[in-house]
Amino acid sequence: MNKQDVSSTNVIPVNETDFDSAVLQSGVPVFVDFYADWCGPCNMIAPTIEALSEEYDGKVKFVKISVDNNQELAMKYDVMSIPTGMLFENGIVKDSLIGAYPASAYRQRIDNALGPMRLSQPRSEA
């Protein structure tokens, strides 16, 4: 069994059908994890992404997109290597990170993209 299949309460599976409503029209920033089930590094970071989703609960929404099942989305956002993490805000890619990294690297990118004012605001939408 791979790590992406582990039941997750905070990292939401998204596909091409619900991408616009889940990501582009979200009222909060969205971290998108582009992954594949067969990808070792993707499986390696899945618990890290889950932990970050809990840490940023109410401030950032976390979703995962299988590049195998959603090739049009992967092509649209030029995902050439996986794992690729992208942070969307107001429908725009604010930052991206290609490869598997420790939680601190993702945290730093999210914090930098959102800025200190956004991170200290109260919960608005999940």
Side-chain angles (χ1 to χ4, degrees):
M1 178 164 112
N2 69 58
K3 301 280 191 237
Q4 293 289 344
D5 288 338
V6 172
S7 178
S8 166
T9 57
N10 291 330
V11 182
I12 305 160
V14 170
N15 59 39
E16 291 166 352
T17 305
D18 55 3
F19 180 80
D20 283 0
S21 61
V23 177
L24 300 181
Q25 298 170 9
S26 176
V28 296
V30 182
F31 183 90
V32 178
D33 175 21
F34 287 94
Y35 79 99
D37 289 333
W38 49 263
C39 168
C42 299
N43 293 323
M44 185 177 69
I45 67 161
T48 299
I49 301 301
E50 175 64 27
L52 288 170
S53 73
E54 293 171 11
E55 181 178 334
Y56 286 96
D57 187 29
K59 296 177 183 150
V60 178
K61 182 192 307 184
F62 283 75
V63 303
K64 61 182 182 176
I65 298 175
S66 166
V67 296
D68 290 334
N69 299 331
N70 301 282
Q71 294 178 5
E72 287 183 26
L73 276 176
M75 287 189 304
K76 180 178 180 178
Y77 290 100
D78 296 323
V79 176
M80 305 299 284
S81 297
I82 51 174
T84 291
M86 290 186 180
L87 185 67
F88 286 78
E89 187 172 24
N90 299 320
I92 299 167
V93 178
K94 298 257 319 198
D95 200 359
S96 62
L97 192 60
I98 300 167
Y101 293 91
S104 59
Y106 294 104
R107 192 177 297 113
Q108 179 182 24
R109 300 299 276 270
I110 292 168
D111 291 351
N112 285 343
L114 298 181
M117 295 302 289
R118 285 296 304 261
L119 292 172
S120 63
Q121 289 179 348
R123 180 184 183 129
S124 59
E125 177 192 329

